[in-house]
Amino acid sequence: MPDMSASASLAMTHLVTLAELDEDKVTPGVLGFIVFAVMALAVWGLMRSMSRHMGKVDFKETPEAEAEASGVSAEPQKG
């Protein structure tokens, strides 16, 4: 069983080194999180606004009979 405890201590050694904080690394911190959260909220608001505005758009085309009655040709004239 000594082999099992040796591998366990080796695993714990690796976990301890992962938990240590390296002062030379740059992290985004709280300011980075706040900037990201504000950007995410802005994108969400813009998508919601766009969805609302796209719902108001009428995509129905005018029938050809109405277009001919008003004097507008449905097909381009060849000339």
Short mmCIF file of all heavy atoms in Angstrom, two decimals:
data_model
loop_
_atom_site.label_atom_id
_atom_site.label_comp_id
_atom_site.label_asym_id
_atom_site.label_seq_id
_atom_site.Cartn_x
_atom_site.Cartn_y
_atom_site.Cartn_z
N MET A 1 0.79 -1.20 0.00
CA MET A 1 0.00 0.00 0.00
C MET A 1 0.84 1.28 0.00
O MET A 1 0.27 2.33 -0.15
CB MET A 1 -0.91 0.01 1.23
CG MET A 1 -2.00 -1.00 1.16
SD MET A 1 -3.39 -0.18 0.44
CE MET A 1 -4.60 -1.40 0.59
N PRO A 2 2.14 1.26 0.18
CA PRO A 2 2.91 2.49 0.16
C PRO A 2 2.84 3.18 -1.20
O PRO A 2 2.95 4.38 -1.30
CB PRO A 2 4.34 2.06 0.48
CG PRO A 2 4.33 0.62 0.73
CD PRO A 2 2.96 0.10 0.49
N ASP A 3 2.63 2.37 -2.24
CA ASP A 3 2.55 2.95 -3.58
C ASP A 3 1.31 3.85 -3.70
O ASP A 3 1.35 4.89 -4.34
CB ASP A 3 2.50 1.81 -4.61
CG ASP A 3 2.56 2.36 -6.02
OD1 ASP A 3 3.25 3.38 -6.22
OD2 ASP A 3 1.91 1.78 -6.90
N MET A 4 0.22 3.46 -3.06
CA MET A 4 -1.02 4.23 -3.12
C MET A 4 -0.86 5.58 -2.42
O MET A 4 -1.32 6.59 -2.91
CB MET A 4 -2.16 3.44 -2.48
CG MET A 4 -3.50 4.07 -2.68
SD MET A 4 -4.02 3.87 -4.36
CE MET A 4 -5.40 2.80 -4.11
N SER A 5 -0.19 5.59 -1.29
CA SER A 5 -0.01 6.85 -0.57
C SER A 5 0.97 7.76 -1.30
O SER A 5 0.85 8.99 -1.23
CB SER A 5 0.44 6.60 0.86
OG SER A 5 1.72 6.00 0.86
N ALA A 6 1.93 7.19 -2.01
CA ALA A 6 2.89 8.00 -2.76
C ALA A 6 2.19 8.70 -3.91
O ALA A 6 2.42 9.90 -4.16
CB ALA A 6 4.02 7.12 -3.29
N SER A 7 1.29 8.02 -4.59
CA SER A 7 0.57 8.66 -5.69
C SER A 7 -0.42 9.69 -5.15
O SER A 7 -0.66 10.72 -5.77
CB SER A 7 -0.14 7.62 -6.55
OG SER A 7 -1.12 6.94 -5.80
N ALA A 8 -0.98 9.42 -3.97
CA ALA A 8 -1.91 10.38 -3.37
C ALA A 8 -1.16 11.66 -2.96
O ALA A 8 -1.66 12.76 -3.16
CB ALA A 8 -2.60 9.76 -2.17
N SER A 9 0.03 11.48 -2.40
CA SER A 9 0.79 12.67 -2.01
C SER A 9 1.26 13.44 -3.24
O SER A 9 1.31 14.67 -3.23
CB SER A 9 1.98 12.28 -1.13
OG SER A 9 2.92 11.54 -1.88
N LEU A 10 1.58 12.74 -4.32
CA LEU A 10 1.97 13.40 -5.56
C LEU A 10 0.79 14.20 -6.12
O LEU A 10 0.96 15.34 -6.57
CB LEU A 10 2.46 12.37 -6.57
CG LEU A 10 2.95 12.92 -7.90
CD1 LEU A 10 4.18 13.79 -7.69
CD2 LEU A 10 3.25 11.78 -8.86
N ALA A 11 -0.41 13.63 -6.07
CA ALA A 11 -1.61 14.33 -6.55
C ALA A 11 -1.88 15.56 -5.69
O ALA A 11 -2.24 16.62 -6.21
CB ALA A 11 -2.81 13.39 -6.53
N MET A 12 -1.71 15.44 -4.40
CA MET A 12 -1.94 16.58 -3.52
C MET A 12 -0.91 17.69 -3.77
O MET A 12 -1.23 18.87 -3.69
CB MET A 12 -1.88 16.14 -2.05
CG MET A 12 -3.06 15.30 -1.62
SD MET A 12 -4.62 16.15 -1.84
CE MET A 12 -4.51 17.37 -0.56
N THR A 13 0.32 17.30 -4.12
CA THR A 13 1.35 18.28 -4.42
C THR A 13 0.96 19.08 -5.66
O THR A 13 1.12 20.31 -5.69
CB THR A 13 2.70 17.59 -4.65
OG1 THR A 13 3.00 16.78 -3.52
CG2 THR A 13 3.81 18.60 -4.88
N HIS A 14 0.42 18.40 -6.66
CA HIS A 14 -0.02 19.09 -7.87
C HIS A 14 -1.21 20.00 -7.58
O HIS A 14 -1.30 21.10 -8.14
CB HIS A 14 -0.39 18.08 -8.97
CG HIS A 14 0.80 17.44 -9.59
ND1 HIS A 14 1.72 18.13 -10.33
CD2 HIS A 14 1.23 16.16 -9.57
CE1 HIS A 14 2.65 17.32 -10.75
NE2 HIS A 14 2.38 16.10 -10.30
N LEU A 15 -2.12 19.59 -6.73
CA LEU A 15 -3.28 20.42 -6.39
C LEU A 15 -2.86 21.67 -5.62
O LEU A 15 -3.42 22.74 -5.82
CB LEU A 15 -4.30 19.62 -5.58
CG LEU A 15 -5.10 18.57 -6.36
CD1 LEU A 15 -6.00 17.79 -5.42
CD2 LEU A 15 -5.91 19.23 -7.45
N VAL A 16 -1.88 21.52 -4.75
CA VAL A 16 -1.43 22.67 -3.97
C VAL A 16 -0.79 23.69 -4.90
O VAL A 16 -1.00 24.89 -4.75
CB VAL A 16 -0.45 22.22 -2.86
CG1 VAL A 16 0.25 23.41 -2.23
CG2 VAL A 16 -1.20 21.42 -1.81
N THR A 17 0.00 23.25 -5.88
CA THR A 17 0.63 24.21 -6.80
C THR A 17 -0.41 24.89 -7.67
O THR A 17 -0.22 26.04 -8.07
CB THR A 17 1.70 23.52 -7.67
OG1 THR A 17 1.09 22.45 -8.39
CG2 THR A 17 2.84 23.01 -6.83
N LEU A 18 -1.50 24.22 -7.98
CA LEU A 18 -2.55 24.84 -8.77
C LEU A 18 -3.29 25.89 -7.95
O LEU A 18 -3.80 26.87 -8.49
CB LEU A 18 -3.54 23.79 -9.27
CG LEU A 18 -3.04 22.86 -10.37
CD1 LEU A 18 -4.10 21.81 -10.69
CD2 LEU A 18 -2.69 23.63 -11.62
N ALA A 19 -3.38 25.71 -6.65
CA ALA A 19 -4.12 26.63 -5.80
C ALA A 19 -3.33 27.89 -5.47
O ALA A 19 -3.91 28.89 -5.08
CB ALA A 19 -4.51 25.93 -4.50
N GLU A 20 -2.03 27.86 -5.64
CA GLU A 20 -1.22 29.04 -5.34
C GLU A 20 -1.48 30.13 -6.36
O GLU A 20 -1.71 29.87 -7.53
CB GLU A 20 0.26 28.67 -5.34
CG GLU A 20 0.65 27.77 -4.20
CD GLU A 20 2.11 27.36 -4.26
OE1 GLU A 20 2.83 27.89 -5.14
OE2 GLU A 20 2.52 26.52 -3.46
N LEU A 21 -1.42 31.37 -5.91
CA LEU A 21 -1.67 32.52 -6.78
C LEU A 21 -0.36 33.06 -7.31
O LEU A 21 0.55 33.38 -6.54
CB LEU A 21 -2.42 33.61 -6.01
CG LEU A 21 -2.75 34.87 -6.79
CD1 LEU A 21 -3.70 34.54 -7.95
CD2 LEU A 21 -3.38 35.90 -5.87
N ASP A 22 -0.25 33.16 -8.60
CA ASP A 22 0.95 33.72 -9.21
C ASP A 22 0.73 35.22 -9.42
O ASP A 22 -0.16 35.63 -10.15
CB ASP A 22 1.22 33.03 -10.55
CG ASP A 22 2.55 33.44 -11.16
OD1 ASP A 22 3.32 34.15 -10.48
OD2 ASP A 22 2.81 33.05 -12.31
N GLU A 23 1.52 36.04 -8.76
CA GLU A 23 1.36 37.49 -8.82
C GLU A 23 1.72 38.07 -10.19
O GLU A 23 1.37 39.20 -10.51
CB GLU A 23 2.22 38.15 -7.73
CG GLU A 23 1.78 37.81 -6.33
CD GLU A 23 0.40 38.36 -6.00
OE1 GLU A 23 0.02 39.41 -6.54
OE2 GLU A 23 -0.29 37.71 -5.19
N ASP A 24 2.44 37.31 -11.03
CA ASP A 24 2.84 37.81 -12.34
C ASP A 24 1.74 37.66 -13.39
O ASP A 24 1.85 38.22 -14.47
CB ASP A 24 4.10 37.08 -12.82
CG ASP A 24 5.28 37.40 -11.92
OD1 ASP A 24 5.32 38.51 -11.36
OD2 ASP A 24 6.16 36.53 -11.78
N LYS A 25 0.72 36.87 -13.10
CA LYS A 25 -0.37 36.67 -14.07
C LYS A 25 -1.36 37.81 -13.97
O LYS A 25 -1.65 38.34 -12.91
CB LYS A 25 -1.09 35.35 -13.81
CG LYS A 25 -0.25 34.14 -14.14
CD LYS A 25 -1.06 32.90 -13.97
CE LYS A 25 -0.22 31.68 -14.31
NZ LYS A 25 -0.96 30.45 -14.13
N VAL A 26 -1.91 38.18 -15.12
CA VAL A 26 -2.91 39.23 -15.17
C VAL A 26 -4.28 38.58 -15.20
O VAL A 26 -4.54 37.69 -15.99
CB VAL A 26 -2.71 40.11 -16.42
CG1 VAL A 26 -3.78 41.17 -16.51
CG2 VAL A 26 -1.34 40.73 -16.42
N THR A 27 -5.17 39.04 -14.33
CA THR A 27 -6.53 38.52 -14.30
C THR A 27 -7.50 39.68 -14.55
O THR A 27 -7.19 40.82 -14.23
CB THR A 27 -6.85 37.87 -12.95
OG1 THR A 27 -6.71 38.84 -11.94
CG2 THR A 27 -5.93 36.69 -12.67
N PRO A 28 -8.67 39.41 -15.12
CA PRO A 28 -9.60 40.49 -15.41
C PRO A 28 -10.18 41.13 -14.16
O PRO A 28 -10.47 42.31 -14.15
CB PRO A 28 -10.70 39.82 -16.23
CG PRO A 28 -10.56 38.37 -15.98
CD PRO A 28 -9.14 38.13 -15.60
N GLY A 29 -10.36 40.38 -13.12
CA GLY A 29 -10.84 40.95 -11.86
C GLY A 29 -12.29 41.40 -11.92
O GLY A 29 -13.05 41.05 -12.82
N VAL A 30 -12.65 42.21 -10.96
CA VAL A 30 -14.03 42.67 -10.82
C VAL A 30 -14.39 43.64 -11.95
O VAL A 30 -15.49 43.59 -12.49
CB VAL A 30 -14.23 43.35 -9.44
CG1 VAL A 30 -15.62 43.93 -9.32
CG2 VAL A 30 -13.96 42.36 -8.33
N LEU A 31 -13.45 44.51 -12.32
CA LEU A 31 -13.72 45.47 -13.39
C LEU A 31 -14.02 44.75 -14.71
O LEU A 31 -14.94 45.13 -15.44
CB LEU A 31 -12.54 46.42 -13.56
CG LEU A 31 -12.71 47.48 -14.65
CD1 LEU A 31 -13.89 48.40 -14.31
CD2 LEU A 31 -11.44 48.27 -14.81
N GLY A 32 -13.27 43.70 -15.00
CA GLY A 32 -13.51 42.93 -16.22
C GLY A 32 -14.88 42.29 -16.20
O GLY A 32 -15.58 42.25 -17.23
N PHE A 33 -15.28 41.77 -15.06
CA PHE A 33 -16.61 41.17 -14.95
C PHE A 33 -17.70 42.21 -15.14
O PHE A 33 -18.69 41.97 -15.83
CB PHE A 33 -16.79 40.48 -13.59
CG PHE A 33 -18.18 39.97 -13.38
CD1 PHE A 33 -18.61 38.83 -14.02
CD2 PHE A 33 -19.06 40.65 -12.55
CE1 PHE A 33 -19.90 38.36 -13.84
CE2 PHE A 33 -20.34 40.19 -12.35
CZ PHE A 33 -20.77 39.04 -13.00
N ILE A 34 -17.52 43.39 -14.55
CA ILE A 34 -18.53 44.44 -14.68
C ILE A 34 -18.66 44.89 -16.13
O ILE A 34 -19.77 45.05 -16.66
CB ILE A 34 -18.19 45.63 -13.75
CG1 ILE A 34 -18.37 45.20 -12.28
CG2 ILE A 34 -19.04 46.84 -14.06
CD1 ILE A 34 -17.86 46.21 -11.28
N VAL A 35 -17.54 45.07 -16.82
CA VAL A 35 -17.57 45.48 -18.22
C VAL A 35 -18.26 44.41 -19.06
O VAL A 35 -19.11 44.72 -19.91
CB VAL A 35 -16.15 45.76 -18.75
CG1 VAL A 35 -16.13 45.92 -20.25
CG2 VAL A 35 -15.58 46.98 -18.07
N PHE A 36 -17.93 43.15 -18.83
CA PHE A 36 -18.56 42.06 -19.58
C PHE A 36 -20.06 41.99 -19.31
O PHE A 36 -20.86 41.81 -20.23
CB PHE A 36 -17.89 40.72 -19.20
CG PHE A 36 -18.44 39.56 -19.96
CD1 PHE A 36 -18.06 39.32 -21.27
CD2 PHE A 36 -19.35 38.70 -19.37
CE1 PHE A 36 -18.57 38.25 -21.97
CE2 PHE A 36 -19.87 37.63 -20.06
CZ PHE A 36 -19.48 37.40 -21.37
N ALA A 37 -20.47 42.16 -18.05
CA ALA A 37 -21.89 42.11 -17.70
C ALA A 37 -22.65 43.26 -18.35
O ALA A 37 -23.77 43.07 -18.85
CB ALA A 37 -22.05 42.14 -16.18
N VAL A 38 -22.06 44.46 -18.37
CA VAL A 38 -22.72 45.61 -19.00
C VAL A 38 -22.87 45.38 -20.50
O VAL A 38 -23.92 45.66 -21.09
CB VAL A 38 -21.94 46.92 -18.71
CG1 VAL A 38 -22.41 48.06 -19.58
CG2 VAL A 38 -22.07 47.28 -17.25
N MET A 39 -21.83 44.85 -21.12
CA MET A 39 -21.91 44.56 -22.56
C MET A 39 -22.97 43.50 -22.84
O MET A 39 -23.71 43.60 -23.82
CB MET A 39 -20.54 44.11 -23.09
CG MET A 39 -19.55 45.25 -23.17
SD MET A 39 -17.89 44.73 -23.64
CE MET A 39 -18.17 43.91 -25.17
N ALA A 40 -23.06 42.47 -22.00
CA ALA A 40 -24.06 41.42 -22.20
C ALA A 40 -25.47 41.99 -22.04
O ALA A 40 -26.37 41.65 -22.83
CB ALA A 40 -23.83 40.29 -21.20
N LEU A 41 -25.67 42.85 -21.07
CA LEU A 41 -26.99 43.48 -20.90
C LEU A 41 -27.33 44.38 -22.08
O LEU A 41 -28.48 44.44 -22.51
CB LEU A 41 -27.03 44.28 -19.59
CG LEU A 41 -27.13 43.45 -18.32
CD1 LEU A 41 -26.99 44.35 -17.09
CD2 LEU A 41 -28.46 42.70 -18.27
N ALA A 42 -26.35 45.10 -22.61
CA ALA A 42 -26.59 45.96 -23.77
C ALA A 42 -26.98 45.14 -24.99
O ALA A 42 -27.92 45.49 -25.72
CB ALA A 42 -25.34 46.80 -24.06
N VAL A 43 -26.30 44.04 -25.23
CA VAL A 43 -26.64 43.17 -26.37
C VAL A 43 -28.02 42.58 -26.19
O VAL A 43 -28.81 42.52 -27.14
CB VAL A 43 -25.58 42.06 -26.55
CG1 VAL A 43 -26.04 41.00 -27.53
CG2 VAL A 43 -24.27 42.66 -27.01
N TRP A 44 -28.35 42.16 -24.98
CA TRP A 44 -29.68 41.61 -24.72
C TRP A 44 -30.75 42.66 -24.98
O TRP A 44 -31.78 42.39 -25.60
CB TRP A 44 -29.75 41.11 -23.27
CG TRP A 44 -31.11 40.62 -22.89
CD1 TRP A 44 -31.67 39.43 -23.23
CD2 TRP A 44 -32.08 41.32 -22.10
NE1 TRP A 44 -32.93 39.35 -22.69
CE2 TRP A 44 -33.21 40.49 -22.00
CE3 TRP A 44 -32.09 42.56 -21.49
CZ2 TRP A 44 -34.34 40.89 -21.29
CZ3 TRP A 44 -33.22 42.94 -20.78
CH2 TRP A 44 -34.33 42.10 -20.69
N GLY A 45 -30.53 43.89 -24.53
CA GLY A 45 -31.50 44.96 -24.75
C GLY A 45 -31.66 45.30 -26.22
O GLY A 45 -32.77 45.52 -26.70
N LEU A 46 -30.54 45.34 -26.95
CA LEU A 46 -30.61 45.61 -28.38
C LEU A 46 -31.35 44.50 -29.14
O LEU A 46 -32.13 44.77 -30.05
CB LEU A 46 -29.21 45.79 -28.96
CG LEU A 46 -28.52 47.10 -28.59
CD1 LEU A 46 -27.06 47.06 -29.03
CD2 LEU A 46 -29.24 48.26 -29.24
N MET A 47 -31.12 43.26 -28.76
CA MET A 47 -31.81 42.15 -29.42
C MET A 47 -33.31 42.19 -29.13
O MET A 47 -34.14 41.94 -30.00
CB MET A 47 -31.21 40.81 -28.98
CG MET A 47 -29.84 40.56 -29.55
SD MET A 47 -29.12 39.02 -28.98
CE MET A 47 -30.29 37.83 -29.55
N ARG A 48 -33.66 42.54 -27.90
CA ARG A 48 -35.07 42.64 -27.54
C ARG A 48 -35.75 43.78 -28.31
O ARG A 48 -36.85 43.62 -28.82
CB ARG A 48 -35.16 42.88 -26.03
CG ARG A 48 -36.54 42.83 -25.50
CD ARG A 48 -36.54 42.86 -23.99
NE ARG A 48 -37.90 42.94 -23.51
CZ ARG A 48 -38.28 43.55 -22.42
NH1 ARG A 48 -37.37 44.11 -21.66
NH2 ARG A 48 -39.53 43.60 -22.06
N SER A 49 -35.06 44.91 -28.42
CA SER A 49 -35.60 46.05 -29.17
C SER A 49 -35.75 45.71 -30.65
O SER A 49 -36.76 46.04 -31.27
CB SER A 49 -34.69 47.26 -29.00
OG SER A 49 -35.12 48.32 -29.80
N MET A 50 -34.75 45.05 -31.21
CA MET A 50 -34.81 44.68 -32.62
C MET A 50 -35.96 43.71 -32.88
O MET A 50 -36.68 43.83 -33.86
CB MET A 50 -33.50 44.03 -33.07
CG MET A 50 -33.49 43.69 -34.55
SD MET A 50 -32.03 42.78 -35.06
CE MET A 50 -32.33 41.21 -34.28
N SER A 51 -36.15 42.77 -31.97
CA SER A 51 -37.24 41.81 -32.11
C SER A 51 -38.59 42.52 -32.08
O SER A 51 -39.49 42.21 -32.87
CB SER A 51 -37.16 40.78 -31.00
OG SER A 51 -38.25 39.91 -31.06
N ARG A 52 -38.72 43.49 -31.19
CA ARG A 52 -39.97 44.25 -31.08
C ARG A 52 -40.21 45.06 -32.36
O ARG A 52 -41.32 45.11 -32.88
CB ARG A 52 -39.91 45.17 -29.87
CG ARG A 52 -41.26 45.62 -29.41
CD ARG A 52 -41.20 46.45 -28.15
NE ARG A 52 -40.38 45.83 -27.11
CZ ARG A 52 -39.59 46.50 -26.29
NH1 ARG A 52 -39.49 47.80 -26.37
NH2 ARG A 52 -38.89 45.88 -25.36
N HIS A 53 -39.17 45.70 -32.90
CA HIS A 53 -39.33 46.50 -34.11
C HIS A 53 -39.59 45.63 -35.33
O HIS A 53 -40.33 46.02 -36.23
CB HIS A 53 -38.09 47.38 -34.33
CG HIS A 53 -38.08 48.59 -33.48
ND1 HIS A 53 -37.61 48.56 -32.19
CD2 HIS A 53 -38.48 49.86 -33.71
CE1 HIS A 53 -37.71 49.76 -31.66
NE2 HIS A 53 -38.24 50.58 -32.57
N MET A 54 -38.96 44.46 -35.39
CA MET A 54 -39.19 43.56 -36.53
C MET A 54 -40.61 43.01 -36.50
O MET A 54 -41.17 42.67 -37.54
CB MET A 54 -38.17 42.41 -36.53
CG MET A 54 -36.77 42.87 -36.84
SD MET A 54 -36.57 43.60 -38.46
CE MET A 54 -36.71 42.15 -39.49
N GLY A 55 -41.20 42.91 -35.33
CA GLY A 55 -42.58 42.45 -35.22
C GLY A 55 -43.56 43.46 -35.80
O GLY A 55 -44.66 43.10 -36.22
N LYS A 56 -43.18 44.73 -35.85
CA LYS A 56 -44.05 45.77 -36.39
C LYS A 56 -43.99 45.87 -37.91
O LYS A 56 -44.83 46.50 -38.52
CB LYS A 56 -43.67 47.13 -35.80
CG LYS A 56 -43.92 47.24 -34.32
CD LYS A 56 -43.48 48.61 -33.81
CE LYS A 56 -43.64 48.71 -32.32
NZ LYS A 56 -43.17 50.02 -31.83
N VAL A 57 -42.98 45.27 -38.53
CA VAL A 57 -42.80 45.38 -39.98
C VAL A 57 -43.83 44.52 -40.68
O VAL A 57 -44.05 43.36 -40.33
CB VAL A 57 -41.36 44.96 -40.37
CG1 VAL A 57 -41.19 44.94 -41.88
CG2 VAL A 57 -40.35 45.87 -39.72
N ASP A 58 -44.46 45.10 -41.71
CA ASP A 58 -45.45 44.38 -42.51
C ASP A 58 -44.77 43.85 -43.76
O ASP A 58 -44.31 44.63 -44.60
CB ASP A 58 -46.60 45.33 -42.88
CG ASP A 58 -47.70 44.61 -43.62
OD1 ASP A 58 -47.81 43.38 -43.50
OD2 ASP A 58 -48.46 45.30 -44.32
N PHE A 59 -44.69 42.54 -43.88
CA PHE A 59 -43.98 41.93 -45.01
C PHE A 59 -44.90 41.56 -46.17
O PHE A 59 -44.46 40.96 -47.13
CB PHE A 59 -43.25 40.66 -44.55
CG PHE A 59 -42.07 40.95 -43.69
CD1 PHE A 59 -42.12 40.75 -42.32
CD2 PHE A 59 -40.90 41.44 -44.23
CE1 PHE A 59 -41.04 41.01 -41.52
CE2 PHE A 59 -39.80 41.70 -43.44
CZ PHE A 59 -39.87 41.49 -42.08
N LYS A 60 -46.17 41.94 -46.11
CA LYS A 60 -47.10 41.58 -47.18
C LYS A 60 -46.81 42.42 -48.42
O LYS A 60 -46.65 43.63 -48.35
CB LYS A 60 -48.54 41.81 -46.72
CG LYS A 60 -48.96 40.90 -45.60
CD LYS A 60 -50.37 41.19 -45.18
CE LYS A 60 -50.75 40.32 -43.99
NZ LYS A 60 -52.07 40.68 -43.46
N GLU A 61 -46.79 41.75 -49.57
CA GLU A 61 -46.59 42.46 -50.83
C GLU A 61 -47.94 42.88 -51.37
O GLU A 61 -48.96 42.25 -51.12
CB GLU A 61 -45.89 41.55 -51.83
CG GLU A 61 -44.49 41.17 -51.43
CD GLU A 61 -43.81 40.32 -52.49
OE1 GLU A 61 -44.33 40.25 -53.62
OE2 GLU A 61 -42.78 39.74 -52.19
N THR A 62 -47.94 43.95 -52.15
CA THR A 62 -49.19 44.38 -52.75
C THR A 62 -49.55 43.43 -53.89
O THR A 62 -48.68 43.05 -54.69
CB THR A 62 -49.08 45.81 -53.30
OG1 THR A 62 -48.01 45.86 -54.23
CG2 THR A 62 -48.83 46.80 -52.18
N PRO A 63 -50.80 43.03 -54.00
CA PRO A 63 -51.18 42.15 -55.10
C PRO A 63 -51.00 42.85 -56.45
O PRO A 63 -51.05 44.07 -56.55
CB PRO A 63 -52.66 41.87 -54.83
CG PRO A 63 -52.88 42.22 -53.40
CD PRO A 63 -51.88 43.27 -53.07
N GLU A 64 -50.81 42.07 -57.50
CA GLU A 64 -50.59 42.62 -58.83
C GLU A 64 -51.81 43.38 -59.33
O GLU A 64 -51.69 44.35 -60.07
CB GLU A 64 -50.21 41.51 -59.80
CG GLU A 64 -48.84 40.93 -59.53
CD GLU A 64 -48.48 39.85 -60.53
OE1 GLU A 64 -49.12 39.78 -61.60
OE2 GLU A 64 -47.55 39.08 -60.24
N ALA A 65 -53.01 42.95 -58.95
CA ALA A 65 -54.23 43.63 -59.41
C ALA A 65 -54.26 45.06 -58.89
O ALA A 65 -54.63 45.99 -59.62
CB ALA A 65 -55.46 42.87 -58.94
N GLU A 66 -53.87 45.28 -57.66
CA GLU A 66 -53.83 46.63 -57.10
C GLU A 66 -52.75 47.45 -57.78
O GLU A 66 -52.93 48.65 -58.02
CB GLU A 66 -53.57 46.59 -55.60
CG GLU A 66 -54.76 46.18 -54.77
CD GLU A 66 -54.45 46.23 -53.28
OE1 GLU A 66 -53.47 46.91 -52.91
OE2 GLU A 66 -55.19 45.60 -52.52
N ALA A 67 -51.64 46.83 -58.09
CA ALA A 67 -50.54 47.54 -58.73
C ALA A 67 -50.94 47.98 -60.14
O ALA A 67 -50.64 49.10 -60.56
CB ALA A 67 -49.30 46.66 -58.79
N GLU A 68 -51.63 47.14 -60.89
CA GLU A 68 -52.07 47.49 -62.24
C GLU A 68 -53.15 48.56 -62.20
O GLU A 68 -53.21 49.44 -63.04
CB GLU A 68 -52.56 46.25 -62.97
CG GLU A 68 -51.45 45.28 -63.33
CD GLU A 68 -51.97 43.99 -63.96
OE1 GLU A 68 -53.19 43.90 -64.21
OE2 GLU A 68 -51.17 43.09 -64.19
N ALA A 69 -54.04 48.48 -61.22
CA ALA A 69 -55.11 49.46 -61.11
C ALA A 69 -54.57 50.85 -60.79
O ALA A 69 -55.12 51.85 -61.23
CB ALA A 69 -56.11 49.03 -60.04
N SER A 70 -53.49 50.91 -60.06
CA SER A 70 -52.91 52.21 -59.71
C SER A 70 -51.97 52.72 -60.79
O SER A 70 -51.44 53.80 -60.67
CB SER A 70 -52.18 52.12 -58.37
OG SER A 70 -51.08 51.25 -58.49
N GLY A 71 -51.77 51.95 -61.87
CA GLY A 71 -50.93 52.39 -62.97
C GLY A 71 -49.47 52.01 -62.82
O GLY A 71 -48.64 52.41 -63.62
N VAL A 72 -49.14 51.24 -61.84
CA VAL A 72 -47.76 50.82 -61.65
C VAL A 72 -47.61 49.44 -62.25
O VAL A 72 -48.37 48.54 -61.98
CB VAL A 72 -47.40 50.77 -60.15
CG1 VAL A 72 -45.98 50.27 -59.95
CG2 VAL A 72 -47.59 52.13 -59.53
N SER A 73 -46.62 49.27 -63.11
CA SER A 73 -46.38 48.00 -63.75
C SER A 73 -45.64 47.07 -62.81
O SER A 73 -44.70 47.47 -62.13
CB SER A 73 -45.57 48.20 -65.03
OG SER A 73 -45.25 46.96 -65.60
N ALA A 74 -46.09 45.79 -62.77
CA ALA A 74 -45.45 44.81 -61.91
C ALA A 74 -44.12 44.37 -62.47
O ALA A 74 -43.22 44.00 -61.76
CB ALA A 74 -46.37 43.63 -61.70
N GLU A 75 -43.99 44.39 -63.83
CA GLU A 75 -42.76 43.97 -64.48
C GLU A 75 -42.04 45.19 -65.02
O GLU A 75 -42.67 46.15 -65.46
CB GLU A 75 -43.07 43.00 -65.62
CG GLU A 75 -43.65 41.68 -65.14
CD GLU A 75 -43.86 40.73 -66.31
OE1 GLU A 75 -43.21 40.91 -67.34
OE2 GLU A 75 -44.66 39.81 -66.16
N PRO A 76 -40.71 45.16 -65.02
CA PRO A 76 -40.00 46.29 -65.60
C PRO A 76 -40.25 46.38 -67.10
O PRO A 76 -40.36 45.36 -67.79
CB PRO A 76 -38.54 46.00 -65.29
CG PRO A 76 -38.47 44.58 -64.86
CD PRO A 76 -39.86 44.17 -64.47
N GLN A 77 -40.36 47.58 -67.62
CA GLN A 77 -40.62 47.77 -69.05
C GLN A 77 -39.34 47.60 -69.83
O GLN A 77 -38.28 48.07 -69.43
CB GLN A 77 -41.22 49.15 -69.28
CG GLN A 77 -42.56 49.32 -68.65
CD GLN A 77 -43.09 50.75 -68.90
OE1 GLN A 77 -42.40 51.58 -69.46
NE2 GLN A 77 -44.30 50.97 -68.46
N LYS A 78 -39.45 46.93 -70.96
CA LYS A 78 -38.30 46.75 -71.85
C LYS A 78 -38.37 47.84 -72.91
O LYS A 78 -39.42 48.07 -73.49
CB LYS A 78 -38.32 45.37 -72.49
CG LYS A 78 -38.20 44.26 -71.48
CD LYS A 78 -38.30 42.91 -72.13
CE LYS A 78 -38.25 41.82 -71.07
NZ LYS A 78 -38.47 40.50 -71.64
N GLY A 79 -37.28 48.48 -73.13
CA GLY A 79 -37.44 49.58 -74.05
C GLY A 79 -36.30 49.84 -74.85
O GLY A 79 -35.47 50.07 -75.39
#
